[in-house]
């Protein structure tokens, strides 16, 4: 199923021509009928001579409604550029043609309308020649020009035949398994509820399926599907679709939102693009320039970050990162247009290379330029490898979803990468684990060991760095799942690059060490502990004797065991006391605080602190005034 869109200057007869072709007047607003001018998008359909149905999007021609025109020309197969024979090429003819060329639309038909108002055949030939000159530098250079009159019907059959010929060369829309419906209209039907419409791309929609509306992850269910007012069980890519939704209100959805399946597409506030400036642009594009960004039915203010130079002159092409004012749901390969907000004018456009860049790129960096070149010219395998190299470790499903390829092509490219060793599972023993490139693993392992080395240098008394701190420091911007981080650590440990110590990580050859002065202080303190193992020095006195850092190191190394905020024992004394308490309970059934105090010749403070600690770690359990084994 194919879709065409009209284009052309205001009052050149686009809507009248659509009505003459289809029998459907596309203007649906009362104001449009009253003013005789299309303001918003209109929709109709017709049958070609072959019997194939074709959807038609009628767009406004007035300069004030270019944003509505842009919402209608995304995802079309061909354009019907309308030029009134009595007026010829006008300003919006040129701007609409510029937009079609920036969208890289290669199929179209030119309708010379209102020929019933032109008596002079030489004038008609002159207008046709003017149009041909206008098309010369665009992708529509070979588009047929068909004189036609919506009023008399002259030329309508020739126009239908020309459209059929052009559309016959359009390939079927691919089914990439990730349906997207850029929403261009939202309304309510009594008894049915919320309805959205758009041109479906990249996949099929099925009746009854759960869907999400992006941005915002608004959940809904498909209650009904229609194409050209015919009910469907399945809507196919490339068709105009009306979707009746349950679970959402119309005021929750707006033009520019995207209907898709859950977990297929992520919204973004930043895109990497190849941008071409119109040769007729009134000003060069400058770094940090504010623009209006349009893609499919979406529109938002944005800011240009030129990565190669401070400006792009008219006619130039460059690598650009665009910061978006609000989140949009976009995909690699989507076309876009940028316009000057005031005075409103189209400046350029291009293709999205990366809809979810990992970072804000630094300007004038050779590696950034090389990355963009790869995105632009690389093979499917190159794109997958680059994605995994930059974002890895990455689950295979996520990597496959990030490239605009049919599922079988993407799977074949990934299989080739794994077969040749260009990518590998993070866990070599688990082929389903996330993927990483060999160079990516070396880089990640080096970052991990460098992070630990820096930590050891800063904290020579600590056994190691806590796992959670390592996780957040190693990947601070996005963060890894615990499962993925554990897999990274497991591989590093298996390769001998890292050592696990409880909940901490350390380099394999690292050992905490005290300075001679610190060691002397430690020896003196431990001598006090050994002199009275069950009546040890107070915590405050211990810290004063060796310093807080050294005291904490003794706790971490378990030279000292802390059983309460102000009570510590040496490990040997603690182990002796625990063993004695357990033997006593086994022999007598229970133990009291007083008995524990007398058993070790200590004070109630130490006995109570120890028993409460043993309750916490489930060696003993309190029953009234007694402790029994857990």
């Amino acid at each position: 199923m194919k879709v065409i869109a009209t284009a052309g200057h205001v009052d050149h007869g686009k809507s009248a021509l659509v009505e003459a072709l289809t029998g459907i007047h596309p203007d649906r607003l009362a104001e449009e009928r009253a003013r005789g001018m299309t303001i918003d998008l209109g929709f109709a359909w017709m049958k070609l001579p072959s019997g194939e149905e074709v959807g038609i999007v009628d767009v406004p021609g007035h300069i004030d409604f270019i944003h509505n025109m842009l919402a209608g020309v995304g995802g079309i197969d061909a354009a019907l550029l309308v030029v009134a024979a009595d007026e010829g090429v006008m300003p919006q003819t040129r701007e609409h043609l510029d937009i079609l060329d920036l969208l890289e639309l290669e199929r179209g038909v030119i309708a010379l309308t209102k020929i019933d108002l032109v008596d002079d055949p030489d004038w008609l030939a002159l207008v046709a020649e003017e149009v041909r000159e206008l098309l010369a530098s665009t992708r529509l250079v070979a588009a047929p020009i068909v004189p036609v009159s919506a009023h008399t019907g002259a030329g309508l059959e020739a126009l239908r035949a020309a459209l059929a010929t052009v559309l016959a060369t359009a390939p079927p829309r691919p089914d990439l398994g990730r349906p997207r419906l850029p929403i261009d209209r939202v309304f309510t039907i009594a008894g049915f509820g919320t309805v959205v419409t758009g041109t479906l791309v990249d996949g099929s929609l099925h009746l009854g399926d759960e869907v999400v509306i992006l941005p915002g992850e608004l959940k809904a269910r498909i209650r009904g599907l229609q194409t050209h007012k015919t009910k469907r069980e399945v809507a196919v890519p490339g068709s105009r679709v009306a979707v009746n939704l349950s679970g959402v209100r119309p005021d929750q959805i707006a033009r520019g939102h995207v209907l898709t399946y859950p977990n297929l597409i992520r919204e973004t506030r930043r895109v990497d693009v190849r941008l071409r400036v119109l040769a007729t642009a009134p000003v060069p594009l400058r770094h940090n320039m504010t623009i209006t960004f349009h893609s499919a039915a979406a529109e938002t203010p944005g800011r240009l970050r030129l990565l190669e130079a401070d400006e792009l002159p008219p006619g130039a092409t460059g690598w650009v990162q665009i910061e978006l004012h609000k989140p949009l749901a976009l995909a690699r390969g989507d076309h876009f247009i940028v316009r000057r907000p005031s005075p409103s004018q189209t400046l350029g456009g291009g293709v999205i290379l990366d809809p979810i860049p990992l970072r804000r790129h630094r300007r004038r960096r050779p590696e950034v330029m090389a990355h963009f070149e790869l995105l632009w010219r690389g093979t499917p395998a190159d794109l997958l490898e680059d994605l995994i190299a930059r974002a890895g470790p990455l689950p295979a499903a996520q990597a496959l979803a990030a490239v605009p390829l049919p599922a079988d092509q993407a799977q074949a490219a990934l299989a080739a990468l794994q077969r040749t060793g260009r990518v590998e599972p993070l866990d070599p023993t688990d082929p389903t684990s996330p993927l990483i490139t060999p160079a990516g693993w070396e880089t990640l392992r080096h970052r991990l060991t460098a992070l630990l080395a820096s930590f050891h240098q800063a904290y020579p008394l600590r056994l190691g760095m806590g796992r959670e701190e390592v996780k957040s420091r190693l990947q601070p911007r996005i963060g890894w799942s615990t499962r993925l981080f554990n897999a990274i650590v497991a591989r590093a440990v298996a390769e001998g690059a890292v050592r696990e110590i409880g909940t901490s990580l350390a380099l394999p050859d690292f050992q905490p060490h005290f300075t001679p002065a610190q060691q002397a202080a430690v020896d003196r303190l431990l001598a006090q502990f050994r002199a009275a193992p069950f009546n040890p020095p107070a915590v405050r006195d211990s810290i004063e004797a060796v310093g807080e850092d050294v005291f904490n190191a003794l706790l971490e190394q378990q030279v000292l065991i802390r059983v309460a905020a102000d009570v510590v024992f040496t490990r040997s004394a603690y182990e002796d006391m625990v063993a004695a308490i357990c033997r006593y309970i086994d022999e007598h059934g229970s133990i009291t605080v007083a008995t524990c105090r007398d058993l070790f010749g200590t004070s109630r403070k130490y006995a109570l602190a120890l028993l409460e600690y043993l309750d916490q770690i489930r060696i003993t359990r309190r029953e009234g005034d007694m402790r029994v084994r857990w």
Side-chain angles (χ1 to χ4, degrees):
M1 193 169 292
K2 306 293 195 313
V3 177
I4 63 177
T6 63
H9 196 76
V10 62
D11 202 31
H12 274 207
K14 294 185 294 299
S15 298
L17 182 60
V18 170
E19 185 176 20
L21 286 170
T22 68
I24 302 169
H25 199 296
D27 287 345
R28 53 190 171 78
L29 303 178
E31 184 182 359
E32 292 177 315
R33 299 294 185 100
R35 296 172 62 179
M37 180 179 72
T38 300
I39 296 172
D40 205 349
L41 301 177
F43 307 99
W45 61 91
M46 68 176 183
K47 284 190 176 181
L48 297 174
S50 65
E52 179 185 4
E53 276 196 348
V54 175
I56 300 179
V57 181
D58 186 38
V59 307
H62 196 282
I63 188 172
D64 291 344
F65 305 113
I66 284 286
H67 62 288
N68 288 340
M69 178 268 182
L70 284 162
V73 295
I76 64 173
D77 297 285
L80 178 59
L81 180 63
V82 176
V83 181
D86 61 333
E87 290 189 354
V89 173
M90 299 294 283
Q92 293 317 117
T93 312
R94 297 180 186 276
E95 185 165 16
H96 281 204
L97 185 59
D98 283 340
I99 289 169
L100 295 175
D101 196 50
L102 289 168
L103 296 176
E104 300 184 327
L105 191 68
E106 298 180 345
R107 297 172 185 84
V109 176
I110 316 303
L112 282 186
T113 57
K114 302 187 180 183
I115 60 171
D116 55 296
L117 301 180
V118 177
D119 296 327
D120 185 354
D122 291 337
W123 173 259
L124 194 62
L126 186 64
V127 173
E129 182 60 28
E130 181 187 24
V131 171
R132 185 60 67 199
E133 290 177 1
L134 182 64
L135 298 175
S137 61
T138 74
R139 288 175 170 79
L140 296 180
V141 59
I145 300 175
V146 182
V148 67
S149 170
H151 179 66
T152 68
L156 287 179
E157 290 308 313
L159 181 58
R160 288 190 182 95
L163 287 169
T165 300
V166 166
L167 288 172
T169 66
R173 290 282 175 160
D175 190 334
L176 306 182
R178 55 170 199 199
R180 293 186 293 149
L181 186 78
I183 295 170
D184 52 34
R185 189 180 173 206
V186 186
F187 55 96
T188 302
I189 295 180
F192 291 91
T194 303
V195 177
V196 299
T197 68
T199 302
L200 182 61
V201 296
D202 291 351
S204 301
L205 294 175
H206 297 259
L207 190 66
D209 283 352
E210 292 185 356
V211 294
V212 293
I213 312 294
L214 301 174
E217 292 284 349
L218 187 65
K219 295 180 180 179
R221 184 179 293 277
I222 297 177
R223 183 180 180 184
L225 289 170
Q226 285 192 9
T227 295
H228 305 160
K229 293 192 175 180
T230 300
K231 292 183 179 181
R232 306 282 183 183
E233 294 288 325
V234 179
V236 298
S239 59
R240 287 291 307 174
V241 182
V243 185
N244 181 204
L245 297 172
S246 62
V248 291
R249 303 187 311 273
D251 61 353
Q252 295 176 288
I253 310 172
R255 174 178 289 173
H257 285 182
V258 172
L259 183 149
T260 183
Y261 286 155
N263 305 316
L264 289 184
I265 303 167
R266 292 164 54 195
E267 56 194 61
T268 182
R269 285 182 177 269
R270 176 184 296 146
V271 290
D272 289 347
V273 305
R274 179 178 172 86
L275 190 151
R276 174 165 67 92
V277 187
L278 286 172
T280 55
V283 294
L285 301 189
R286 296 185 175 87
H287 181 61
N288 281 332
M289 182 178 185
T290 298
I291 49 87
T292 304
F293 177 92
H294 302 260
S295 185
E299 172 187 352
T300 182
R303 185 168 59 87
L304 301 179
R305 297 193 65 249
L306 306 187
L307 300 176
E308 298 172 275
D310 291 330
E311 68 175 40
L312 280 175
T317 299
W319 309 125
V320 179
Q321 191 169 67
I322 303 179
E323 305 279 358
L324 305 175
H325 180 71
K326 66 180 182 182
L328 300 180
L330 303 168
R332 176 180 159 81
D334 286 353
H335 287 80
F336 69 93
I337 300 293
V338 296
R339 306 190 79 236
R340 182 164 64 174
S342 181
S344 179
Q345 195 164 11
T346 300
L347 300 175
V351 179
I352 294 174
L353 303 180
D354 190 348
I356 312 284
L358 296 179
R359 60 186 61 86
R360 193 171 185 262
H361 298 302
R362 298 181 66 179
R363 302 177 66 219
R364 298 186 175 90
R365 298 296 291 264
E367 65 272 19
V368 173
M369 302 304 107
H371 168 63
F372 272 77
E373 285 286 350
L374 180 64
L375 288 176
W376 179 244
R377 305 183 191 280
T379 65
D382 291 336
L383 296 179
L384 274 168
E385 182 180 21
D386 178 69
L387 173 69
I388 294 168
R390 292 181 298 110
L394 198 63
Q398 190 173 335
L400 293 172
V403 289
L405 298 168
D408 56 344
Q409 291 184 26
Q411 289 281 6
L414 185 57
L417 288 174
Q418 292 182 281
R419 189 169 55 251
T420 57
R422 290 166 64 182
V423 301
E424 60 190 23
L426 176 63
D427 180 354
T429 67
D430 180 8
T432 65
S433 71
L435 301 172
I436 195 166
T437 64
W441 170 247
E442 290 301 321
T443 299
L444 183 55
R445 183 172 63 178
H446 174 74
R447 286 175 54 206
L448 175 58
T449 56
L451 179 63
L452 293 176
S454 176
F455 181 85
H456 292 329
Q457 184 175 8
Y459 304 98
L461 302 183
R462 300 277 301 274
L463 282 175
M465 191 175 185
R467 292 176 69 100
E468 285 302 315
E469 185 178 359
V470 174
K471 180 171 175 278
S472 63
R473 293 273 298 277
L474 202 59
Q475 186 76 332
R477 193 178 71 85
I478 300 174
W480 283 312
S481 68
T482 299
R483 181 179 179 183
L484 177 55
F485 177 70
N486 289 343
I488 293 169
V489 171
R491 179 165 176 175
V493 170
E495 293 180 358
V498 170
R499 180 164 53 101
E500 290 184 284
I501 308 169
T503 60
S504 298
L505 301 176
L507 295 177
D509 57 350
F510 174 76
Q511 291 294 335
H513 59 277
F514 299 122
T515 65
Q518 290 171 334
Q519 187 62 57
V522 167
D523 292 342
R524 289 192 295 271
L525 177 63
L526 294 181
Q528 295 180 49
F529 274 88
R530 287 192 295 271
F534 307 136
N535 292 280
V539 168
R540 183 183 60 218
D541 295 337
S542 299
I543 293 174
E544 187 174 335
V546 297
E548 188 169 5
D549 288 345
V550 173
F551 178 76
N552 288 334
L554 293 173
L555 291 176
E556 188 178 39
Q557 295 170 32
Q558 294 191 323
V559 174
L560 299 178
I561 305 297
R562 192 171 205 160
V563 300
D566 57 347
V567 177
V568 292
F569 297 101
T570 62
R571 182 169 59 187
S572 59
Y574 168 79
E575 291 174 348
D576 290 344
M577 296 173 84
V578 171
I581 289 171
C582 290
R583 284 195 304 271
Y584 188 92
I585 295 176
D586 290 342
E587 292 173 6
H588 300 87
S590 63
I591 192 171
T592 64
V593 174
T595 302
C596 181
R597 177 197 62 197
D598 296 341
L599 187 63
F600 300 112
T602 186
S603 69
R604 178 179 175 82
K605 167 187 172 181
Y606 292 120
L608 179 61
L610 178 61
L611 289 176
E612 288 181 343
Y613 179 72
L614 297 184
D615 293 343
Q616 293 174 21
I617 63 174
R618 297 192 172 188
I619 290 178
T620 61
R621 183 176 73 251
R622 182 174 178 177
E623 292 184 355
D625 292 334
M626 304 289 186
R627 258 71 179 191
V628 297
R629 291 289 292 269
W630 187 268

